[in-house]
Amino acid sequence: MTDALKRLSDEGVAIWLDDLSRKRITSGNLAELIDQSHVVGVTTNPSIFQKAISQGDGYDQQLTDLAARKVTVEEAIRMITTADVRDAADILRPVFDATGGQDGRVSIEVDPRLAHNTLATVAEAKQLAWLVDRPNTLIKIPATKAGLPAITEVIGKGISVNVTLIFSLERYREVMDAYLAGLEKAKAAGLDLSKIHSVASFFVSRVDTEIDKRLDAVGGDEAKAAKGKSALANARLAYEAYEEVFSSDRWAALDKAQANKQRPLWASTGVKDPSLKDTLYVDDLVAPNTVNTMPEATLDAVADHGEITGNTVAGRYDQARADLDAIKKLGVSYDDVVQLLEDEGVDKFEAAWIDLLNSTEAELKRLAPSEG
């Protein structure tokens, strides 16, 4: 083992775990990761919960009780997932207190079927915040067109938000604008801005997966040379946009009111292409005031052989633009790719939610008490 995780943390990167399960909580594994691997936060999504509930018997007792009460499957899912998030939040509470609320946070996502419904997303976010009832929760809202006004509304009510499924630089700027508008609403309502936090989850690996597939179809030496570069270029230019927005006059007025910057969070950092190094999206995205949420395999890989050599984002913006220009010249449409990835991201989470509904319903039936 190396001290790579400590070096990463020392560089100003908050290490969050992209996973949660009842077993991870009850076994002491989450507490161990916090204690030994510099983990200071947790993210969840419908796929993570679907996997957790469908494996093992960790949820049987709660499912048995829910079945006895004859709750709906949707209520059962909310009771199960919010219980896990509440318990994880309690384990992370000392980190939350020590960092003034910046870290020690656990994210839970609104029902992905509401991704294109602003009013329902706002209502669901309020309900989740009430259900979990922990100050160190982040409510995840997807960065769809309908999600943007929902982000403003929810932040304006003083609820902290993790904006998820961001793929494009244009959409990322819209997300930051929605956050600032929310803070302005909260300020006008007399809320304490220092208590409101947000991260913007900018997805990484899927960008390379899609663009590299298209480069393979183009063929030739130039296309081959352009592979494995687009995701880093996209993320680095996102950080450039973050630096610009959070040094603006508009931000200065909110900063004076004790507001918190919305940190960029690198999501989907597990490397999908075996020809790329498995720590690429960690080693090469080191910048202060960022979050990197990693699946456990990536966390272990970084601990074992990560190469943390200081800031690997600043000063690389011109090269990042050149890398994205190169794929454009080869006929790969950036706009088409990022829109496809957003649509697919919403669809995948919706499919995982439906799988979660189906598997939970089957478990409720299996554990239901016999009549009589």
Side-chain angles (χ1 to χ4, degrees):
M1 298 287 273
T2 69
D3 283 335
L5 293 172
K6 182 181 187 305
R7 288 200 299 277
L8 186 63
S9 181
D10 289 345
E11 287 291 339
V13 179
I15 299 165
W16 289 9
L17 178 71
D18 192 26
D19 191 52
L20 187 63
S21 67
R22 186 73 47 90
K23 186 179 178 186
R24 202 182 275 288
I25 291 164
T26 57
S27 68
N29 172 262
L30 178 58
E32 190 178 285
L33 289 172
I34 295 163
D35 186 47
Q36 297 177 15
S37 299
H38 304 276
V39 168
V40 293
V42 168
T43 48
T44 69
N45 61 45
S47 302
I48 284 168
F49 280 125
Q50 193 277 327
K51 184 180 161 195
I53 293 169
S54 64
Q55 292 179 352
D57 56 4
Y59 296 89
D60 278 10
Q61 184 56 61
Q62 189 177 9
L63 282 161
T64 299
D65 292 344
L66 292 166
R69 288 172 49 214
K70 297 184 178 179
V71 304
T72 65
V73 63
E74 300 212 359
E75 186 184 349
I77 287 168
R78 278 304 176 218
M79 292 299 103
I80 290 165
T81 57
T82 55
D84 277 2
V85 168
R86 191 180 307 114
D87 288 344
D90 288 344
I91 293 167
L92 278 154
R93 184 59 190 259
V95 177
F96 174 81
D97 293 337
T99 60
Q102 179 162 264
D103 288 309
R105 292 192 171 263
V106 187
S107 299
I108 184 168
E109 190 148 349
V110 298
D111 183 335
R113 295 172 298 175
L114 308 177
H116 303 295
N117 184 327
T118 303
L119 286 176
T121 294
V122 172
E124 171 98 340
K126 285 158 61 182
Q127 171 75 356
L128 282 174
W130 177 83
L131 265 177
V132 177
D133 193 26
R134 294 294 183 272
N136 51 330
T137 312
L138 289 169
I139 307 302
K140 285 178 93 170
I141 297 176
T144 55
K145 277 290 183 192
L148 295 169
I151 293 157
T152 296
E153 191 66 25
V154 172
I155 290 288
K157 293 184 183 302
I159 297 169
S160 294
V161 172
N162 175 345
V163 184
T164 188
L165 292 175
I166 309 170
F167 295 94
S168 83
L169 294 165
E170 181 185 358
R171 183 56 53 84
Y172 178 45
R173 285 184 177 274
E174 291 173 336
V175 165
M176 290 188 284
D177 181 70
Y179 175 60
L180 297 184
L183 288 175
E184 286 158 354
K185 280 188 83 155
K187 185 181 173 189
L191 298 182
D192 181 355
L193 300 195
S194 73
K195 298 278 194 286
I196 304 170
H197 286 259
S198 183
V199 293
S201 295
F202 201 86
F203 278 55
V204 185
S205 67
R206 294 186 199 181
V207 173
D208 270 344
T209 302
E210 182 60 33
I211 288 178
D212 289 357
K213 183 173 75 176
R214 297 183 185 207
L215 290 170
D216 281 337
V218 170
D221 290 343
E222 280 186 60
K224 195 174 177 184
K227 286 180 65 178
K229 295 178 179 176
S230 303
L232 290 176
N234 200 35
R236 284 167 175 163
L237 292 176
Y239 192 80
E240 182 187 40
Y242 156 79
E243 287 183 311
E244 184 187 308
V245 168
F246 288 99
S247 60
S248 65
D249 290 343
R250 184 184 183 190
W251 169 250
L254 291 163
D255 187 37
K256 219 174 271 184
Q258 309 298 309
N260 298 291
K261 291 178 180 177
Q262 181 187 55
R263 288 182 293 172
L265 178 151
W266 311 129
S268 183
T269 55
V271 174
K272 310 284 194 290
D273 182 346
S275 72
L276 300 173
K277 65 174 178 175
D278 57 359
T279 59
L280 179 68
Y281 304 129
V282 179
D283 296 351
D284 288 42
L285 286 177
V286 177
N289 213 36
T290 58
V291 179
N292 196 309
T293 186
M294 307 175 211
E296 192 166 20
T298 304
L299 186 74
D300 289 344
V302 174
D304 183 64
H305 53 265
E307 297 172 28
I308 310 303
T309 57
N311 191 321
T312 47
V313 174
R316 304 193 187 195
Y317 304 139
D318 288 345
Q319 184 58 53
R321 271 185 277 277
D323 288 341
L324 290 185
D325 283 345
I327 64 149
K328 186 180 175 185
K329 284 173 186 157
L330 288 160
V332 175
S333 167
Y334 173 86
D335 291 339
D336 184 61
V337 166
V338 292
Q339 188 57 55
L340 173 76
L341 290 173
E342 181 187 304
D343 294 343
E344 278 186 355
V346 173
D347 289 348
K348 281 175 182 171
F349 279 170
E350 193 171 314
W353 192 261
I354 290 163
D355 284 347
L356 178 54
L357 285 168
N358 292 337
S359 55
T360 305
E361 187 169 35
E363 287 295 286
L364 288 170
K365 282 178 181 166
R366 179 177 73 83
L367 297 163
S370 53
E371 296 295 332

